Amino acid sequence: MGEIKQLPQNVANQISAGEVVERPASIVKELIENSIDADAEKIEIRIEDGGRKLIRVKDDGHGILAEDIEAAFSRYATSKIKEIDDLYSLYSLGFRGEALASISSVAEVEMLSRHKSEDAGVKIKIKGGDIIDKKPAGSIVGTDVTVKDLFYNTPARYKYLKTTTTEFSHISRIVSTEAAASSDISFKLYHNGRQILSTPGNGKLKDTIYAVFGEDIADNLLPIDIEDRYIKLSGYICRPELTRSNRSHELFFVNNRPIYNNITAKAVENAYKKLIDPGRKPIVFLFIKVNPILVDVNVHPTKRQVKFSRNQIIYDVISKGVRKTLKEADPTTRIKLEQNIKIRDGKNNNLDDSNKSADKKLTDNDNLNNKKETQNENLFKNTFNKINSTQSTKFKKNNSANINDGRENSQKNKREINIEENLAAGVSDNINEEYLIKGNGISESSFKFLGQIFNSYLLIETDEGLKIIDQHNAHERILFEKLTAEFNEKNKASQSLLIPVKIELSPEEREIVRQYKEIINELGIEFSDFGGNTILIQEVPVLLKNKSTRNIIEELIAELSEAGKGLNAAEVEENMIEYLACRTAVKAGKPLNRKESIQLIKDLYKTENPYRCPHSRPVMINISKKEIEKGIGRK
Ligand code: ADP
Ligand code: MG
């Protein structure tokens, strides 16, 4: 007798269960996916003790034929594929035929199911892979699976279960993801009898997201709809001001299957780069439709990972598509005025605070009222001017329309003529003129300049609402793009310094400079050794001409030391230009006159990304008309 023996079926199933049934959440996932494959409209999930005591998934799908119910529990038994080629045209979630076999080999499973073509159901009980009981049973159409005694016969695995809270949080994550994948199905999740989640199942992804992920996320969604030759993207992505610290809210669905894939995650993160703070992760619900032939779903036992055969195309379409959607959607940070509402209703959390703070609030409010009165006067003036200017606009429009056929032209003329007129009348400082915002895929079409506040912020009105622009960040963005263009245009030309600049470095800095020598030279900075750790800067890029070379280069080296060895030439160049832009940009606290302010805003809107400064801090915040109305109590 040889030593190599076939393992009994039970043991083989337990081994395979090790891959499929990692923890209670994996069971929940498999059972839900079976219900989805069975065309269920309602799925109810009941959990006790994080799944340790009970997992129950009940659906109203098509059910299982009485004659098939035993087969459902044998390994590699499936109704979903017949041959391997079927994998390349697969739209069902299951296909391996091993989930039920695996689960029932490490727990006690009871299944009650009635097929839609049959009058009665059948009930089967299996424990450790053995059928304990099987009998006809009354049932409505659908399937109801109960899993108890998980890992009773594999104590080592049982020991690895985490706390109830942890296990349930895994379950709730699975249910949330599956619910988002199937908005046309109503999901209900209970833990120890308490309802945790309920989705409407009305087919609307947004409603499902609202039900599962809450109002904050649902309020900040941007629809995405992109069609390419190979792939189609749909779903929602979140406005950049709402982020997470990890990838937990980057949800991807390939042909409706929730998946994890590094390429898709990277593509999305690339699109959000510079729009969100470094280290933060975006929130997306991205549905990717591809021909099943281009995606391999059979690379992981839990089917959670997929492999694309055209990674680059997938990456490009997602990255560009998400970027385009973000760009078109005015990614200005939006401000909510909720606090004010609370104060008005007397429901603010600070009500119990000491009288002192209540007093302070009163004085603050008084001040606000005083200010408001002057503001109101100005507002009145402005409105008055606006009425005047609209009237003359109308008049001019008719006139210029006669001269120009193109609508755009006539609008432009109208504006210019008005400015001239107003200038002539000597009222240029009071007019509330509209300025066009050109193209760039930006959703606003024009702005009205309202004034500067705190010598630091410019106020404008646009189609999107009242915007508060940080003058420094705005100027930084403008200069950054201008300097980058100049730098590339001049082909990084450099020029010798009349008096070389001596810079003393620490040993670490000297080492960094040595490592980055090639890149530093590429930027147009030439230097030589001056003995010890001192270097002598001899040439700098034309761009740095007349700038304080020492500071800029010291800063550059400091940045390089901080970044370690990981930066490439483009990043180093970007850092240098960012610093230069920051150094030369108008500071906060500097009064700007009307003309300077308007020019700054116009220049800002001509940039690639007017919403974030090169360091990816917000350039402006937005208070929508709706928010103002809500805050004032008009709506
Ligand atoms: P797979 O889903 O990969 O086919 P499973 O072990 O999960 O394998 O299920 C085996 C079979 O049992 C399925 O192919 C399906 O025919 C049937 N089945 C399981 N759960 C359900 C359900 N909730 N409703 C209808 N049929 C089901
Ligand atoms: Mg299955």
Side-chain angles (χ1 to χ4, degrees), residues 30-31 34-35 37-38 59 62-64 72 77-80 94-101 111 143 303:
E30 292 296 338
L31 297 180
N34 279 345
S35 300
D37 281 345
D59 69 51
H62 58 54
I64 303 177
T78 178
S79 57
K80 298 168 194 175
F95 57 83
R96 297 170 71 100
E98 58 182 349
L100 289 182
M111 180 190 263
T143 305
K303 299 162 286 176

Side-chain angles (χ1 to χ4, degrees), residues 3 54 63 156 162 179 201 235-236 247 257 263 321 330 344 383 404 441 446 488 502 513 516 520 536 544 565 610:
E3 291 185 344
L54 177 100
K162 298 275 183 331
Y236 290 95
R247 284 182 171 170
R257 172 194 304 280
I263 299 287
D330 174 27
R344 201 198 55 212
T383 321
N404 292 298
S446 63
N488 292 331
K502 208 163 75 180
V513 169
Y516 277 106
I520 296 175
L536 212 54
L544 300 192
K565 296 171 197 165

Side-chain angles (χ1 to χ4, degrees), residues 119 130 164 195 266 367 384 421 495 508 554 595 610:
D119 296 333
D130 299 321
T164 298
Q195 186 173 321
K266 279 249 162 14
N367 282 340
F384 180 69
E421 243 184 23
Q495 66 170 56
E508 291 96 313
E554 274 177 359
K595 208 174 134 208

Side-chain angles (χ1 to χ4, degrees), residues 186-294:
S186 154
F187 285 77
K188 284 198 165 54
L189 169 66
Y190 300 84
H191 192 208
N192 297 334
R194 207 161 61 91
Q195 186 173 321
I196 304 293
L197 180 150
S198 163
T199 66
N202 61 2
K204 291 186 183 138
L205 176 60
K206 198 169 183 173
D207 292 351
T208 309
I209 294 174
Y210 181 92
V212 178
F213 298 92
E215 189 181 356
D216 249 10
I217 291 182
D219 265 1
N220 279 286
L221 297 176
L222 305 169
I224 179 164
D225 229 323
I226 306 280
E227 205 163 343
D228 183 76
R229 229 174 100 208
Y230 294 100
I231 92 171
K232 196 172 168 302
L233 297 184
S234 61
Y236 290 95
I237 62 174
C238 223
R239 300 174 61 88
E241 61 256 39
L242 215 61
T243 55
R244 288 289 179 271
S245 60
N246 55 37
R247 284 182 171 170
S248 65
H249 284 63
E250 291 181 14
L251 271 54
F252 298 99
F253 309 92
V254 171
N255 296 339
N256 267 30
R257 172 194 304 280
I259 57 116
Y260 171 79
N261 180 281
N262 203 29
I263 299 287
T264 56
K266 279 249 162 14
V268 163
E269 286 160 16
N270 183 51
Y272 273 86
K273 216 163 141 193
K274 301 266 158 178
L275 288 175
I276 61 183
D277 294 338
R280 302 290 296 176
K281 300 288 179 199
I283 300 172
V284 301
F285 304 88
L286 208 54
F287 286 73
I288 304 162
K289 275 237 144 45
V290 283
N291 188 324
I293 206 158
L294 296 177

Side-chain angles (χ1 to χ4, degrees), residues 510-520 564-565:
R510 181 67 191 97
E511 185 49 34
I512 290 282
V513 169
R514 201 166 287 144
Q515 273 168 19
Y516 277 106
K517 181 168 192 308
E518 242 172 73
I519 291 182
I520 296 175
K565 296 171 197 165

